[in-house]
Amino acid sequence: MKSTLNLLHYAAFRAVMLTGTVSGAAELLGRSQPAVSRLLDRLEYELGVSLFERRRGQVTPTPIAHMLLDEIERAYVSLEALSSFASRLASGEGGEISLAVMPALGINFVPHLLARFRQDWPKTKVTLNVRMSVKIEEWAAAQQIDFGLAETPFRRSGFRTEIFSDAPYIAAVPRDHPLADRSRLGPVDLHQGPFISWTSFVSARHLLDQALQSSGVKVDAAYETTFSVSAYEMVKQGIGIAIIDPYTAVEQLDDRVRLIPFAPKIPFNVALLRPETRVANPAADALLELMAEKRDRLLAQLPH
């Protein structure tokens, strides 16, 4: 049998959950209590689950009700975003870009070029989500963003990819460190640390471990962190040496740190993810063009 549920049934449920009573929900929705009760009864019937325990006129949500509310709240957030977008279009305020970027490019790289973007697209709203690569991949597969920048490899489908950057990671060394005058560093040099590494769930950690293993070198890290920017801050304080991504290296450039090429090269493989079913967005394309220009200028500053 085809479901006869509509948004009103879920609105009634949400109102009861928010107010705690059927009478409160009725007042919130501008309907009678019997009408709200009928909507709840129909919702439970169609879903085939019990959402409330009813005793002496009181309603107590079941565990299933709380799980359903979580899903409904996510849907309401999407609906509110859609309504906001439609309102901006109607008032001539322009469109919207939603992007998700890994921390190495989302903390400084993208924010620094948004001022330039706003000069050409002053009425376009930009939502910048800074997330780990696995979350960006998930959102791209779910068609929730216009584009993403994330570190490879990927496991999901539903999006197109192209390489945005493959410049190698680079060593960051305190300027007064014994290694600071070197023109190149290798795995064995990391023993002169203290060495600042990534935590085990960061993909770059596995690339570094492979490079060390291939060179027959084992290095125990004195410190571990999730982000290159945190490792770089430790280097600036003279705590030790680190291997960091090239974008953080240049964006955080500081006289207290020497940047030195590391061999074997460990590529920082950043891909552009474009969801397959998202419609063309000229503003997003313009932002990507600015990103490519800034990328080329930034990478040209790296020592070779």
Side-chain angles (χ1 to χ4, degrees):
M1 183 177 63
K2 185 177 180 180
S3 174
T4 60
L5 295 178
N6 56 42
L7 288 177
L8 184 56
H9 292 86
Y10 292 105
F13 166 76
R14 180 174 182 264
V16 172
M17 294 293 287
L18 293 178
T19 63
T21 64
V22 174
S23 59
E27 183 176 352
L28 183 64
L29 296 174
R31 290 176 171 267
S32 67
Q33 291 188 42
V36 172
S37 295
R38 286 194 296 271
L39 289 170
L40 294 179
D41 291 342
R42 188 65 187 182
L43 181 62
E44 289 180 314
Y45 173 78
E46 291 285 352
L47 296 180
V49 296
S50 177
L51 297 174
F52 298 99
E53 294 180 1
R54 296 168 174 80
R55 294 178 182 175
R56 298 178 181 176
Q58 300 295 318
V59 290
T60 303
T62 65
I64 292 177
H66 289 289
M67 290 187 287
L68 179 60
L69 180 64
D70 289 341
E71 290 299 318
I72 290 176
E73 290 297 342
R74 278 192 280 271
Y76 265 80
V77 169
S78 297
L79 287 172
E80 288 170 359
L82 179 60
S83 177
S84 175
F85 175 68
S87 296
R88 287 195 300 276
L89 288 179
S91 62
E93 294 183 8
E96 179 175 353
I97 303 172
S98 177
L99 64 150
V101 183
M102 60 187 300
L105 286 84
I107 294 176
N108 294 117
F109 178 80
V110 174
H112 285 173
L113 56 79
L114 288 180
R116 173 67 183 84
F117 174 79
R118 188 168 181 80
Q119 293 176 12
D120 297 330
W121 298 82
K123 296 183 178 181
T124 297
K125 177 183 177 181
V126 178
T127 300
L128 170 62
N129 301 281
V130 181
R131 293 289 187 271
M132 301 300 286
S133 292
V134 64
K135 177 58 70 173
I136 297 170
E137 179 187 0
E138 177 185 325
W139 285 1
Q143 317 299 304
Q144 293 180 331
I145 52 177
D146 288 298
F147 67 86
L149 291 174
E151 192 168 12
T152 63
F154 306 122
R155 298 181 179 179
R156 291 178 170 83
S157 59
F159 51 84
R160 305 183 304 277
T161 64
E162 59 185 83
I163 290 297
F164 179 79
S165 174
D166 59 1
Y169 285 88
I170 192 166
V173 181
R175 66 181 178 184
D176 57 353
H177 194 279
L179 297 173
D181 60 350
R182 297 279 294 276
S183 61
R184 191 167 302 273
L185 297 183
V188 69
D189 297 313
L190 300 181
H191 284 299
Q192 296 187 49
F195 181 49
I196 304 164
S197 186
W198 295 288
T199 53
S200 60
F201 66 87
V202 177
S203 58
R205 167 66 179 272
H206 303 294
L207 295 175
L208 177 61
D209 287 347
Q210 291 172 10
L212 296 179
Q213 186 175 6
S214 298
S215 302
V217 175
K218 178 176 174 56
V219 181
D220 292 325
Y223 303 89
E224 291 186 353
T225 184
T226 309
F227 301 138
S228 281
V229 66
S230 300
Y232 196 90
E233 285 298 321
M234 295 183 200
V235 176
K236 287 197 316 190
Q237 300 304 316
I239 292 176
I241 61 179
I243 308 298
I244 63 175
D245 73 83
Y247 291 86
T248 299
V250 176
E251 292 280 7
Q252 300 290 326
L253 204 58
D254 190 285
D255 290 340
R256 289 171 288 180
V257 178
R258 279 281 324 278
L259 299 178
I260 305 174
F262 186 82
K265 289 184 177 181
I266 304 173
F268 179 52
N269 289 321
V270 179
L272 169 64
L273 290 71
R274 287 180 175 272
E276 292 178 347
T277 63
R278 297 282 288 201
V279 297
N281 188 333
D285 292 338
L287 181 56
L288 280 170
E289 185 174 339
L290 289 177
M291 288 183 182
E293 293 173 359
K294 179 176 174 64
R295 171 200 63 199
D296 295 342
R297 292 195 304 270
L298 183 147
L299 296 180
Q301 300 179 54
L302 291 169
H304 298 287

Short mmCIF file of all heavy atoms in Angstrom, two decimals, residues 258-288:
data_model
loop_
_atom_site.label_atom_id
_atom_site.label_comp_id
_atom_site.label_asym_id
_atom_site.label_seq_id
_atom_site.Cartn_x
_atom_site.Cartn_y
_atom_site.Cartn_z
N ARG A 258 63.40 26.46 9.04
CA ARG A 258 63.98 26.21 7.74
C ARG A 258 63.18 25.10 7.06
O ARG A 258 62.86 24.07 7.67
CB ARG A 258 65.43 25.71 7.86
CG ARG A 258 66.48 26.76 8.07
CD ARG A 258 66.91 27.51 6.82
NE ARG A 258 66.94 26.70 5.61
CZ ARG A 258 67.94 25.88 5.25
NH1 ARG A 258 69.01 25.78 6.02
NH2 ARG A 258 67.88 25.21 4.14
N LEU A 259 62.84 25.32 5.79
CA LEU A 259 62.18 24.29 4.99
C LEU A 259 63.22 23.61 4.13
O LEU A 259 63.95 24.26 3.38
CB LEU A 259 61.08 24.92 4.13
CG LEU A 259 59.95 25.63 4.87
CD1 LEU A 259 58.97 26.25 3.88
CD2 LEU A 259 59.22 24.67 5.81
N ILE A 260 63.27 22.29 4.22
CA ILE A 260 64.30 21.52 3.52
C ILE A 260 63.65 20.36 2.78
O ILE A 260 62.86 19.61 3.37
CB ILE A 260 65.35 20.97 4.52
CG1 ILE A 260 65.94 22.11 5.36
CG2 ILE A 260 66.45 20.22 3.79
CD1 ILE A 260 66.88 21.64 6.47
N PRO A 261 63.94 20.19 1.48
CA PRO A 261 63.39 19.05 0.74
C PRO A 261 63.72 17.73 1.41
O PRO A 261 64.82 17.56 1.98
CB PRO A 261 64.06 19.17 -0.63
CG PRO A 261 64.39 20.62 -0.76
CD PRO A 261 64.77 21.07 0.63
N PHE A 262 62.78 16.79 1.34
CA PHE A 262 62.96 15.47 1.95
C PHE A 262 62.97 14.41 0.85
O PHE A 262 62.16 14.46 -0.08
CB PHE A 262 61.81 15.18 2.93
CG PHE A 262 61.97 13.91 3.70
CD1 PHE A 262 62.76 13.85 4.83
CD2 PHE A 262 61.31 12.74 3.29
CE1 PHE A 262 62.90 12.67 5.55
CE2 PHE A 262 61.45 11.56 4.00
CZ PHE A 262 62.25 11.53 5.13
N ALA A 263 63.90 13.48 0.94
CA ALA A 263 63.99 12.38 -0.02
C ALA A 263 64.05 11.06 0.75
O ALA A 263 64.74 10.96 1.76
CB ALA A 263 65.22 12.55 -0.90
N PRO A 264 63.31 10.02 0.29
CA PRO A 264 62.55 10.00 -0.96
C PRO A 264 61.30 10.90 -0.88
O PRO A 264 60.76 11.12 0.20
CB PRO A 264 62.12 8.53 -1.08
CG PRO A 264 62.05 8.06 0.34
CD PRO A 264 63.19 8.75 1.04
N LYS A 265 60.90 11.42 -2.04
CA LYS A 265 59.76 12.31 -2.08
C LYS A 265 58.48 11.57 -1.68
O LYS A 265 58.24 10.46 -2.14
CB LYS A 265 59.59 12.90 -3.48
CG LYS A 265 60.65 13.92 -3.85
CD LYS A 265 60.36 14.54 -5.21
CE LYS A 265 61.39 15.61 -5.55
NZ LYS A 265 61.10 16.25 -6.87
N ILE A 266 57.70 12.22 -0.84
CA ILE A 266 56.41 11.69 -0.43
C ILE A 266 55.35 12.64 -0.99
O ILE A 266 55.19 13.76 -0.49
CB ILE A 266 56.28 11.59 1.09
CG1 ILE A 266 57.42 10.75 1.67
CG2 ILE A 266 54.93 11.01 1.49
CD1 ILE A 266 57.47 10.75 3.19
N PRO A 267 54.64 12.27 -2.05
CA PRO A 267 53.70 13.20 -2.68
C PRO A 267 52.50 13.50 -1.80
O PRO A 267 51.93 12.61 -1.17
CB PRO A 267 53.29 12.49 -3.97
CG PRO A 267 53.48 11.04 -3.66
CD PRO A 267 54.68 10.97 -2.75
N PHE A 268 52.14 14.77 -1.75
CA PHE A 268 50.93 15.21 -1.07
C PHE A 268 49.83 15.24 -2.12
O PHE A 268 49.62 16.25 -2.80
CB PHE A 268 51.15 16.59 -0.44
CG PHE A 268 49.96 17.15 0.28
CD1 PHE A 268 49.29 16.41 1.25
CD2 PHE A 268 49.51 18.44 0.02
CE1 PHE A 268 48.20 16.94 1.92
CE2 PHE A 268 48.42 18.97 0.68
CZ PHE A 268 47.77 18.21 1.64
N ASN A 269 49.18 14.13 -2.32
CA ASN A 269 48.21 13.96 -3.40
C ASN A 269 46.84 14.49 -3.00
O ASN A 269 46.09 13.84 -2.29
CB ASN A 269 48.10 12.49 -3.80
CG ASN A 269 49.35 12.00 -4.52
OD1 ASN A 269 49.93 12.71 -5.33
ND2 ASN A 269 49.77 10.78 -4.21
N VAL A 270 46.54 15.68 -3.49
CA VAL A 270 45.25 16.31 -3.23
C VAL A 270 44.42 16.24 -4.50
O VAL A 270 44.88 16.63 -5.58
CB VAL A 270 45.41 17.77 -2.80
CG1 VAL A 270 44.05 18.41 -2.56
CG2 VAL A 270 46.28 17.87 -1.56
N ALA A 271 43.19 15.75 -4.38
CA ALA A 271 42.31 15.62 -5.54
C ALA A 271 41.13 16.57 -5.41
O ALA A 271 40.67 16.88 -4.30
CB ALA A 271 41.81 14.19 -5.69
N LEU A 272 40.65 17.02 -6.55
CA LEU A 272 39.41 17.78 -6.63
C LEU A 272 38.27 16.80 -6.85
O LEU A 272 38.31 16.01 -7.80
CB LEU A 272 39.48 18.79 -7.77
CG LEU A 272 38.18 19.49 -8.17
CD1 LEU A 272 37.67 20.36 -7.04
CD2 LEU A 272 38.40 20.31 -9.44
N LEU A 273 37.28 16.82 -5.97
CA LEU A 273 36.13 15.94 -6.07
C LEU A 273 34.92 16.74 -6.53
O LEU A 273 34.56 17.74 -5.90
CB LEU A 273 35.81 15.29 -4.72
CG LEU A 273 36.77 14.23 -4.17
CD1 LEU A 273 38.09 14.86 -3.72
CD2 LEU A 273 36.14 13.49 -2.99
N ARG A 274 34.30 16.30 -7.61
CA ARG A 274 33.10 16.95 -8.14
C ARG A 274 31.94 15.95 -8.15
O ARG A 274 31.97 14.99 -8.91
CB ARG A 274 33.34 17.47 -9.55
CG ARG A 274 34.23 18.70 -9.66
CD ARG A 274 34.37 19.10 -11.12
NE ARG A 274 35.10 20.32 -11.34
CZ ARG A 274 34.56 21.54 -11.36
NH1 ARG A 274 33.27 21.69 -11.14
NH2 ARG A 274 35.31 22.60 -11.60
N PRO A 275 30.93 16.14 -7.31
CA PRO A 275 29.77 15.24 -7.31
C PRO A 275 29.14 15.17 -8.70
O PRO A 275 29.02 16.18 -9.40
CB PRO A 275 28.83 15.89 -6.29
CG PRO A 275 29.74 16.63 -5.37
CD PRO A 275 30.85 17.15 -6.25
N GLU A 276 28.73 13.98 -9.09
CA GLU A 276 28.27 13.74 -10.46
C GLU A 276 26.94 14.40 -10.79
O GLU A 276 26.69 14.76 -11.94
CB GLU A 276 28.19 12.23 -10.73
CG GLU A 276 29.56 11.56 -10.76
CD GLU A 276 29.47 10.08 -10.99
OE1 GLU A 276 28.35 9.52 -10.87
OE2 GLU A 276 30.51 9.45 -11.27
N THR A 277 26.06 14.56 -9.81
CA THR A 277 24.72 15.04 -10.12
C THR A 277 24.50 16.50 -9.75
O THR A 277 23.41 17.01 -9.91
CB THR A 277 23.65 14.19 -9.41
OG1 THR A 277 23.80 14.31 -7.99
CG2 THR A 277 23.76 12.73 -9.81
N ARG A 278 25.53 17.19 -9.25
CA ARG A 278 25.37 18.61 -8.94
C ARG A 278 25.34 19.42 -10.24
O ARG A 278 26.10 19.16 -11.17
CB ARG A 278 26.53 19.11 -8.08
CG ARG A 278 26.62 18.46 -6.72
CD ARG A 278 25.64 18.98 -5.72
NE ARG A 278 25.93 20.31 -5.26
CZ ARG A 278 25.46 20.80 -4.13
NH1 ARG A 278 24.67 20.09 -3.36
NH2 ARG A 278 25.76 22.04 -3.76
N VAL A 279 24.47 20.39 -10.30
CA VAL A 279 24.37 21.21 -11.51
C VAL A 279 25.57 22.14 -11.60
O VAL A 279 26.23 22.44 -10.60
CB VAL A 279 23.06 22.04 -11.50
CG1 VAL A 279 21.86 21.13 -11.52
CG2 VAL A 279 23.02 22.97 -10.29
N ALA A 280 25.85 22.61 -12.82
CA ALA A 280 26.98 23.51 -13.04
C ALA A 280 26.82 24.77 -12.20
O ALA A 280 25.72 25.33 -12.09
CB ALA A 280 27.09 23.84 -14.51
N ASN A 281 27.91 25.23 -11.61
CA ASN A 281 27.89 26.40 -10.75
C ASN A 281 29.02 27.33 -11.19
O ASN A 281 30.18 27.11 -10.85
CB ASN A 281 28.06 25.99 -9.28
CG ASN A 281 27.86 27.14 -8.32
OD1 ASN A 281 28.08 28.30 -8.65
ND2 ASN A 281 27.47 26.82 -7.09
N PRO A 282 28.71 28.38 -11.95
CA PRO A 282 29.75 29.29 -12.44
C PRO A 282 30.59 29.90 -11.33
O PRO A 282 31.79 30.10 -11.49
CB PRO A 282 28.96 30.35 -13.20
CG PRO A 282 27.68 29.68 -13.58
CD PRO A 282 27.37 28.75 -12.45
N ALA A 283 29.95 30.21 -10.21
CA ALA A 283 30.69 30.80 -9.09
C ALA A 283 31.71 29.82 -8.54
O ALA A 283 32.84 30.20 -8.20
CB ALA A 283 29.71 31.23 -7.99
N ALA A 284 31.33 28.56 -8.45
CA ALA A 284 32.26 27.53 -7.98
C ALA A 284 33.43 27.39 -8.93
O ALA A 284 34.59 27.22 -8.52
CB ALA A 284 31.53 26.20 -7.81
N ASP A 285 33.15 27.44 -10.23
CA ASP A 285 34.22 27.36 -11.23
C ASP A 285 35.18 28.54 -11.10
O ASP A 285 36.40 28.39 -11.24
CB ASP A 285 33.64 27.31 -12.63
CG ASP A 285 32.89 26.00 -12.91
OD1 ASP A 285 33.18 25.01 -12.23
OD2 ASP A 285 32.04 25.99 -13.81
N ALA A 286 34.63 29.72 -10.83
CA ALA A 286 35.47 30.91 -10.67
C ALA A 286 36.36 30.78 -9.42
O ALA A 286 37.54 31.16 -9.44
CB ALA A 286 34.59 32.15 -10.56
N LEU A 287 35.80 30.23 -8.35
CA LEU A 287 36.58 30.03 -7.13
C LEU A 287 37.69 29.02 -7.36
O LEU A 287 38.83 29.20 -6.90
CB LEU A 287 35.66 29.58 -6.00
CG LEU A 287 36.33 29.33 -4.63
CD1 LEU A 287 37.07 30.57 -4.16
CD2 LEU A 287 35.28 28.91 -3.60
N LEU A 288 37.39 27.97 -8.09
CA LEU A 288 38.42 26.96 -8.39
C LEU A 288 39.54 27.55 -9.24
O LEU A 288 40.71 27.19 -9.07
CB LEU A 288 37.77 25.78 -9.12
CG LEU A 288 37.05 24.77 -8.23
CD1 LEU A 288 36.25 23.78 -9.07
CD2 LEU A 288 38.06 24.03 -7.35
#
